[in-house]
Amino acid sequence: PGGAEMKTITIVPSPTSALITVDGVSQGYWGPKNDKIALDMSRDHEIVLRNDECCAPEVRRIGPTGELPENDRLVVRFKGRPARLTVVTDPAQKGKVGIREIDPDPGQQKPVDSWGDLGSAINVPFSGDLDMRKTLLLTVSVPGRPPKNERVELQAGKSLTKQVTLDD
């Protein structure tokens, strides 16, 4: 009869900015010197990784009836919260704005490619993004004027209002 088996798990979050909690107790922020946790494997443990800047919390249950990470590496890829983009014009006009992602991550399922109304908030999804940033090409369409293209950078979970100046 010995003590419970201890296992050291290496935590690998993406993106790397993450606050780690084990069984409700903060372990601090992930970093090169804070990337391992020792767990008593006689029971399950709840591991929570948070990056409130961009993402929803990720919760994992590690232990005898929970997940057992391959090679003792817990790889956690955050899912980005949608960003909200509002495009307005100067002078103020009614019209549409096309939104196309021009820097999708390799292997990303579906890059952003949609339309919305000028002056209305448009949700921009961030599923599959490694850096939680997108560069978007905006195409502003206003009746009686040629389309105007502008670039904008957007972060997951943030709101941005972009003003586009129309040429007279």
Side-chain angles (χ1 to χ4, degrees), residues 48-107:
V48 179
L49 282 82
R50 301 183 70 88
N51 181 331
D52 293 334
E53 284 288 309
C54 68
C55 309
E58 290 290 330
V59 180
R60 300 290 191 276
R61 184 161 297 284
I62 307 292
T65 63
E67 184 179 348
L68 292 173
E70 186 176 333
N71 299 322
D72 298 332
R73 290 173 51 88
L74 178 61
V75 178
V76 177
R77 188 167 180 180
F78 283 104
K79 294 169 192 72
R81 289 187 178 118
R84 293 174 60 79
L85 174 65
T86 304
V87 179
V88 296
T89 59
D90 180 24
Q93 297 284 312
K94 291 196 180 298
K96 297 279 188 189
V97 60
I99 301 169
R100 187 168 56 85
E101 185 173 3
I102 56 178
D103 67 341
D105 285 334

Side-chain angles (χ1 to χ4, degrees), residues 139-142 145-149 166:
T139 302
V140 174
S141 296
V142 172
R145 293 181 183 258
K148 178 144 187 194
N149 291 324
L166 300 175

